[in-house]
Amino acid sequence: MSLLSAIKGRGPSGFGYGSTAEEVTEGLDLGGKTILITGCNSGIGKESFRVLAARGAHIIAAARTEGKAQATADELGVSAQTTAVACELSEPESVRACVEAVKALGRPIDVLMLNAGIMALPELQVHHGYELQFLTNHIGHFILTQGLRDSLSEDARVVALSSAGHQHTPKGGIAFDNLDGRNGYDAWRFYGQSKLANLLFARELARQFEGSERQAYSVHPGVIKTNLTRHMNPILTSLFGMFESLTLKNVEQGAATQCYVAVHPQVDASGAYFADCNEAKSSSYGRDMELARRLWDESERIVEGL
């Protein structure tokens, strides 16, 4: 347990910084529920997989390869209630193949947990004409969600993993004129841009869900040392390690907010941004619905061209 876990209190939800995924789902029976988790094979995605399966949910486990997803299910001992699928978010054809595989199951999806992502690539990487963090973290999940929209249950929840990093972006929040990064690239600002995109996506999706029981949320899981840091500068990685015991959440705590928002019955604030299992205030860009709609329109244009 980190120092912050010990001194930070709980919020109005009854949970807080130090809460774990097991704690926020304690007593819940998820039998009969189907939950799709991207990035299920490591970090907080794997912990969410473990805990939600333990509560009785059938997990559609998505990883870069079906083999990685199945190996994780086998390791956790939940293969009987798991469907493993491949979903390489940076490859539109892989995402579309995942959509078709999930549709073929004929299962209404109760939770779509958009957990997978990459962070702070030190050098600019362009794939399919777009900067890789934006393509993977936002566009890949946009394709997946839109493809599965008709498969969502009547009261489904879509949970997008954003980050407090959404506050550090290029000017304007989303650099629509530089989505390939060729006019200037900064690893952390482009990561922040992708996380702002996740947040705005959830805001706009929630707006589109109005009039139905479906809900959409974005979450900041906290600062956690997982393999998400594998692309970081070695010096920064070392600093993460030095401060881990003081300030970083462990994986069990990091998975708490997305699990809470995904399945807890007291959550009912569609469109909201959550941190530490409570509603939180996003940046001004994160509350800009005109920006959210512009991003949605641009995302549709991008997807049509991929």
Side-chain angles (χ1 to χ4, degrees):
M1 177 180 290
S2 71
L3 179 62
L4 282 179
S5 296
I7 64 176
K8 272 199 168 185
R10 296 170 180 261
S13 69
F15 305 111
Y17 187 98
S19 298
T20 66
E22 285 196 347
E23 181 184 355
V24 302
T25 59
E26 186 176 0
L28 298 184
D29 180 3
L30 301 181
K33 299 290 186 181
T34 298
I35 299 175
L36 189 156
I37 305 172
T38 64
C40 71
N41 60 304
S42 66
I44 61 175
K46 182 178 178 180
E47 177 65 3
S48 298
F49 183 0
R50 183 187 73 82
V51 170
L52 296 174
R55 302 303 183 221
H58 183 94
I59 307 297
I60 301 177
R64 286 177 168 172
T65 68
E66 183 179 334
K68 287 184 176 182
Q70 187 59 58
T72 304
D74 294 342
E75 178 189 342
L76 296 176
V78 293
S79 295
Q81 63 192 90
T82 298
T83 301
V85 294
C87 187
E88 171 51 77
L89 290 165
S90 66
E91 293 294 344
E93 288 309 307
S94 175
V95 181
R96 289 171 178 139
C98 175
V99 167
E100 293 308 312
V102 173
K103 281 182 171 180
L105 299 174
R107 284 178 169 270
I109 298 171
D110 298 291
V111 176
L112 192 53
M113 185 178 285
L114 310 179
N115 164 82
I118 55 177
M119 182 175 75
L121 303 181
E123 302 292 336
L124 173 62
Q125 295 186 45
V126 178
H127 199 52
H128 294 293
Y130 297 94
E131 188 272 325
L132 190 57
Q133 293 176 100
F134 180 80
L135 177 68
T136 303
N137 297 351
H138 171 59
I139 295 297
H141 281 131
F142 185 90
I143 296 171
L144 181 68
T145 305
Q146 288 296 84
L148 292 175
R149 195 152 170 167
D150 290 342
S151 297
L152 298 177
S153 65
E154 291 185 358
D155 59 351
R157 295 183 187 181
V158 178
V159 182
L161 188 69
S162 182
S163 166
H166 82 272
Q167 299 175 69
H168 306 288
T169 66
K171 184 177 180 180
I174 306 293
F176 291 103
D177 60 349
N178 190 31
L179 292 178
D180 60 5
R182 297 189 188 278
N183 292 327
Y185 173 75
D186 177 276
W188 285 105
R189 290 195 181 278
F190 273 67
Y191 172 69
Q193 173 175 257
S194 74
K195 294 290 99 180
L196 175 62
N198 293 145
L199 194 161
L200 291 173
F201 166 76
R203 296 271 203 217
E204 174 59 16
L205 187 62
R207 188 193 66 79
Q208 294 181 19
F209 282 164
E210 289 176 0
S212 77
E213 294 183 56
R214 293 174 177 172
Q215 301 175 357
Y217 298 94
S218 60
V219 303
H220 167 53
V223 182
I224 313 143
K225 189 178 181 183
T226 68
N227 69 358
L228 190 63
T229 64
R230 64 190 180 276
H231 298 294
M232 286 172 53
N233 182 296
I235 296 175
L236 286 176
T237 302
S238 297
L239 287 173
F240 257 58
M242 289 172 58
F243 289 101
E244 182 174 5
S245 63
L246 295 176
T247 61
L248 272 61
K249 288 187 178 184
N250 59 35
V251 169
E252 292 79 7
Q253 294 165 336
T257 301
Q258 62 193 43
C259 286
Y260 171 72
V261 168
V263 300
H264 203 288
Q266 74 183 10
V267 177
D268 187 20
S270 188
Y273 168 67
F274 277 73
D276 298 335
C277 301
N278 287 276
E279 285 189 57
K281 187 176 181 179
S282 72
S283 69
S284 58
Y285 289 139
R287 302 189 300 274
D288 187 336
M289 289 307 298
E290 288 188 12
L291 183 61
R293 284 189 286 271
R294 183 181 177 190
L295 174 65
W296 189 280
D297 291 343
E298 181 65 11
S299 300
E300 287 187 328
R301 186 195 67 77
I302 289 170
V303 170
E304 287 177 5
L306 289 173

